[in-house]
Amino acid sequence: MTSAAFDVLGIGNAIVDVISHADDAFLAKHSLNKGSMTLIDEARAETLYAAMGPGIEMSGGSCGNTMAGVASFGGKGAYIGKVRNDQLGAVFAHDMRATGVAFDTPLASSGPATARCLIVVTPDAQRTMNTYLGACTGLGPADIEPEIVGGAQVTYVEGYLWDAPEAKKAVLKAFDAAHAAGRLVSITLSDSFCVDRYRDEFRALIRGKVDILFGNESEIKSLYQVDSFESALEATRREAKVAALTRSEKGSVVVMGGETHAVAAMPVAKVIDTTGAGDLYAAGFLHGFTHGKPLPECARLGGIAAAEVISHVGARPEKPLRELV
C-alpha cells in the first residue's frame, strides 16, 4: 500500500450550526424531542430560527466537526460535503479550510440553500438539533473522486448521510474505492433515531464493509435492540471489526475480536454544551489510529478531545488539541 496523502477523509453533511440556549419549556412549546436530531423543511427552519434567542453561528455538521478535530491534533484531513454558493456556503468553506482541512467539493450554483442546524442547548447541557439539509442533499457519486479516497488512510462518514439516497450512493462508492486501494472505512451511527430508520442497512454495512465503528450507548443499544450496554457490547463484538463505543461520564469501551479496552472519561470542570462530544471523540480516536497508537491510547485521545469540546459552547475545539496531549 502506498503512503497516504491524508490521515482521514471525511464525507458528511456540510452544515452551519446556529446554537442558542433555552429551557425545557421552549422545547415543549415547539414540540422538540429533547436530545435528538430532527430533519425539518425550510419553512420550519425559518419559524424556529425566529423563535430562538440570541445565538452563535459557526460551521458544523457531525463529520465536519470531526475533521476539524483531526486537524487540531495536527493530523492531515480532507472533507467532502455539499454547500451552495451563498453566504453560509462561503462561511463553511472558509472555516473548514482555515482549520487546515482540504475542502475542494464544488459549490452548487443552483438549488437549495446551504444547510443549517438549529441547536437548542438546555441548562442540563443537552442539545436538541433541528436540521434543514438544504444543499447537502445535492451530494452524490459524482462528488467522490476515487484518487482522493485512495489517498486517505481512513474514509470516515456519518450515518446521517443515509437520509439522502444520492449521498448514500456516494458513500458506497467511496467505501468501494477505499477498499480497492487497500484503505479502511469508518462510520458513526450518528443518532439513535437515525439507527431506528436504517438499522438493517447499518448492520449489513458493519458486517460487510465497515472497519471501524463509532457509536454511543443509546445508539448501540438501539442498533441491536437490547436493554443493556453489556448485551449490545457482545453483539457488537460479533459483527464489528473494531468498535469504539462512548458512554458519556463513564468513558468509552473499545472492542476488537476478543479484546476489550475500557477507558475512563477525562475530567471536565463544568459541562457547558455536549454538542460535538461524539464527533470530537472520533477525531481523537482516528488521529491515534492513523498514527499507529494502541487502541486504549486512541480512546484516551478521543476522551481528551470530547472533554475539551463539552467545556464550552460550540462543536469544534477552542484550544489546539495537540497541546492537550
Side-chain angles (χ1 to χ4, degrees):
M1 184 169 61
T2 59
S3 61
F6 302 107
D7 299 328
V8 185
L9 166 66
I11 305 175
N13 286 325
I15 298 172
V16 176
D17 291 339
V18 180
I19 306 172
S20 178
H21 287 80
D23 56 20
D24 287 348
F26 180 90
L27 302 185
K29 179 179 179 180
H30 295 280
S31 302
L32 302 179
N33 193 350
K34 187 174 183 176
S36 70
M37 192 287 288
T38 303
L39 295 177
I40 58 176
D41 59 20
E42 189 169 6
R44 172 72 163 158
E46 291 177 356
T47 300
L48 278 178
Y49 183 75
M52 291 168 66
I56 299 171
E57 296 185 358
M58 59 184 67
S59 298
S62 173
C63 185
N65 296 334
T66 298
M67 296 314 303
V70 168
S72 186
F73 273 109
K76 298 179 293 183
Y79 180 80
I80 296 174
K82 206 74 174 178
V83 295
R84 178 73 191 273
N85 61 345
D86 53 19
Q87 182 180 358
L88 288 182
V91 167
F92 183 93
H94 172 269
D95 287 354
M96 184 59 72
R97 292 165 184 155
T99 67
V101 175
F103 176 55
D104 298 313
T105 309
L107 278 62
S109 58
S110 61
T114 295
R116 71 287 314 264
C117 182
L118 308 179
I119 303 173
V120 179
V121 181
T122 40
D124 58 3
Q126 285 293 309
R127 79 279 188 271
T128 301
M129 300 180 291
N130 299 272
T131 304
Y132 167 58
L133 289 176
C136 285
T137 58
L139 180 69
D143 295 304
I144 304 300
E145 297 184 30
E147 297 79 13
I148 294 177
V149 175
Q153 289 189 57
V154 177
T155 292
Y156 170 81
V157 308
E158 57 188 69
Y160 288 136
L161 290 173
W162 254 248
D163 284 316
E166 288 302 302
K168 179 169 69 173
K169 292 178 184 177
V171 169
L172 295 176
K173 177 181 177 181
F175 279 5
D176 289 343
H179 284 150
R183 307 299 190 183
L184 301 179
V185 302
S186 177
I187 190 171
T188 176
L189 294 174
S190 293
D191 182 287
S192 58
F193 295 92
C194 185
V195 172
D196 289 340
R197 294 193 291 273
Y198 306 109
R199 179 178 294 106
D200 291 343
E201 290 184 65
F202 284 171
R203 288 189 60 181
L205 273 177
I206 292 164
R207 291 191 297 265
K209 291 183 181 292
V210 171
D211 300 295
I212 306 169
L213 171 68
F214 291 95
N216 64 28
E217 184 167 356
S218 64
E219 291 160 3
I220 204 68
K221 286 161 63 176
S222 174
L223 183 69
Y224 292 108
Q225 297 178 287
V226 294
D227 295 326
S228 73
F229 177 75
E230 290 70 25
S231 296
L233 188 67
E234 291 311 307
T236 304
R237 189 191 309 280
R238 292 191 293 270
E239 293 195 342
K241 296 181 179 70
V242 177
L245 308 175
T246 57
R247 306 188 72 192
S248 299
E249 70 278 1
K250 296 177 183 178
S252 64
V253 179
V254 183
V255 296
M256 182 179 72
E259 296 181 36
T260 304
H261 305 281
V263 178
M266 294 293 111
V268 181
K270 184 179 180 180
V271 177
I272 302 298
D273 175 12
T274 57
T275 308
D279 303 336
L280 269 295
Y281 177 89
F285 189 99
L286 289 171
H287 178 71
F289 192 91
T290 56
H291 286 78
K293 303 297 184 183
L295 293 178
E297 177 64 6
C298 295
R300 188 182 78 88
L301 294 175
I304 289 172
E308 193 283 335
V309 82
I310 66 175
S311 68
H312 57 77
V313 174
R316 294 188 177 182
E318 288 187 346
K319 301 176 182 177
L321 295 175
R322 65 178 72 85
E323 296 179 3
L324 302 181
V325 178

Short mmCIF file of all heavy atoms in Angstrom, two decimals, residues 22-32 34 120 122-123:
data_model
loop_
_atom_site.label_atom_id
_atom_site.label_comp_id
_atom_site.label_asym_id
_atom_site.label_seq_id
_atom_site.Cartn_x
_atom_site.Cartn_y
_atom_site.Cartn_z
N ALA A 22 -31.90 27.67 25.76
CA ALA A 22 -33.32 27.80 26.11
C ALA A 22 -33.64 26.77 27.19
O ALA A 22 -32.85 25.87 27.47
CB ALA A 22 -34.21 27.59 24.89
N ASP A 23 -34.82 26.92 27.79
CA ASP A 23 -35.22 25.96 28.83
C ASP A 23 -36.12 24.87 28.26
O ASP A 23 -36.47 24.88 27.07
CB ASP A 23 -35.92 26.69 29.99
CG ASP A 23 -37.12 27.51 29.52
OD1 ASP A 23 -37.64 27.24 28.42
OD2 ASP A 23 -37.53 28.41 30.27
N ASP A 24 -36.49 23.93 29.11
CA ASP A 24 -37.34 22.82 28.66
C ASP A 24 -38.71 23.29 28.18
O ASP A 24 -39.33 22.65 27.34
CB ASP A 24 -37.51 21.79 29.78
CG ASP A 24 -36.24 20.98 30.03
OD1 ASP A 24 -35.32 21.06 29.19
OD2 ASP A 24 -36.18 20.27 31.05
N ALA A 25 -39.17 24.40 28.72
CA ALA A 25 -40.47 24.93 28.30
C ALA A 25 -40.45 25.32 26.82
O ALA A 25 -41.45 25.14 26.11
CB ALA A 25 -40.86 26.13 29.16
N PHE A 26 -39.30 25.82 26.36
CA PHE A 26 -39.16 26.18 24.94
C PHE A 26 -39.28 24.92 24.08
O PHE A 26 -39.95 24.93 23.04
CB PHE A 26 -37.82 26.86 24.71
CG PHE A 26 -37.57 27.27 23.28
CD1 PHE A 26 -37.95 28.52 22.82
CD2 PHE A 26 -36.96 26.40 22.38
CE1 PHE A 26 -37.74 28.91 21.50
CE2 PHE A 26 -36.74 26.76 21.06
CZ PHE A 26 -37.13 28.02 20.62
N LEU A 27 -38.65 23.84 24.53
CA LEU A 27 -38.74 22.58 23.77
C LEU A 27 -40.19 22.11 23.69
O LEU A 27 -40.66 21.69 22.63
CB LEU A 27 -37.88 21.50 24.44
CG LEU A 27 -36.39 21.78 24.62
CD1 LEU A 27 -35.70 20.53 25.18
CD2 LEU A 27 -35.74 22.20 23.32
N ALA A 28 -40.88 22.17 24.82
CA ALA A 28 -42.27 21.70 24.84
C ALA A 28 -43.15 22.58 23.96
O ALA A 28 -44.00 22.08 23.20
CB ALA A 28 -42.79 21.71 26.28
N LYS A 29 -42.95 23.89 24.02
CA LYS A 29 -43.77 24.82 23.24
C LYS A 29 -43.64 24.56 21.74
O LYS A 29 -44.62 24.67 20.99
CB LYS A 29 -43.36 26.25 23.55
CG LYS A 29 -44.15 27.31 22.77
CD LYS A 29 -43.72 28.70 23.15
CE LYS A 29 -44.49 29.76 22.35
NZ LYS A 29 -44.07 31.14 22.72
N HIS A 30 -42.43 24.17 21.31
CA HIS A 30 -42.19 23.97 19.88
C HIS A 30 -42.12 22.49 19.49
O HIS A 30 -41.65 22.16 18.40
CB HIS A 30 -40.91 24.70 19.48
CG HIS A 30 -41.01 26.19 19.61
ND1 HIS A 30 -41.63 26.98 18.68
CD2 HIS A 30 -40.60 27.02 20.62
CE1 HIS A 30 -41.59 28.24 19.09
NE2 HIS A 30 -40.98 28.29 20.25
N SER A 31 -42.59 21.62 20.40
CA SER A 31 -42.67 20.18 20.13
C SER A 31 -41.33 19.60 19.70
O SER A 31 -41.23 18.85 18.71
CB SER A 31 -43.74 19.89 19.07
OG SER A 31 -44.99 20.38 19.47
N LEU A 32 -40.27 19.94 20.43
CA LEU A 32 -38.93 19.47 20.12
C LEU A 32 -38.59 18.26 20.99
O LEU A 32 -38.83 18.28 22.20
CB LEU A 32 -37.90 20.58 20.35
CG LEU A 32 -38.14 21.87 19.54
CD1 LEU A 32 -37.08 22.90 19.87
CD2 LEU A 32 -38.16 21.57 18.05
N LYS A 34 -36.26 16.31 22.98
CA LYS A 34 -35.01 16.65 23.66
C LYS A 34 -33.91 15.62 23.39
O LYS A 34 -34.12 14.41 23.47
CB LYS A 34 -35.26 16.74 25.16
CG LYS A 34 -34.06 17.24 25.96
CD LYS A 34 -34.44 17.44 27.41
CE LYS A 34 -33.28 18.01 28.21
NZ LYS A 34 -33.66 18.30 29.60
N VAL A 120 -30.65 23.81 20.12
CA VAL A 120 -31.11 24.40 21.37
C VAL A 120 -30.43 23.67 22.52
O VAL A 120 -30.57 22.45 22.66
CB VAL A 120 -32.64 24.30 21.51
CG1 VAL A 120 -33.09 24.90 22.84
CG2 VAL A 120 -33.33 25.00 20.34
N THR A 122 -30.12 23.15 26.48
CA THR A 122 -30.87 23.35 27.73
C THR A 122 -29.90 23.42 28.91
O THR A 122 -28.72 23.09 28.78
CB THR A 122 -31.88 22.21 27.91
OG1 THR A 122 -31.30 20.96 27.52
CG2 THR A 122 -33.12 22.45 27.06
N PRO A 123 -30.37 23.86 30.09
CA PRO A 123 -29.47 24.03 31.24
C PRO A 123 -28.71 22.77 31.65
O PRO A 123 -27.65 22.87 32.28
CB PRO A 123 -30.42 24.48 32.35
CG PRO A 123 -31.51 25.20 31.63
CD PRO A 123 -31.72 24.41 30.36
#
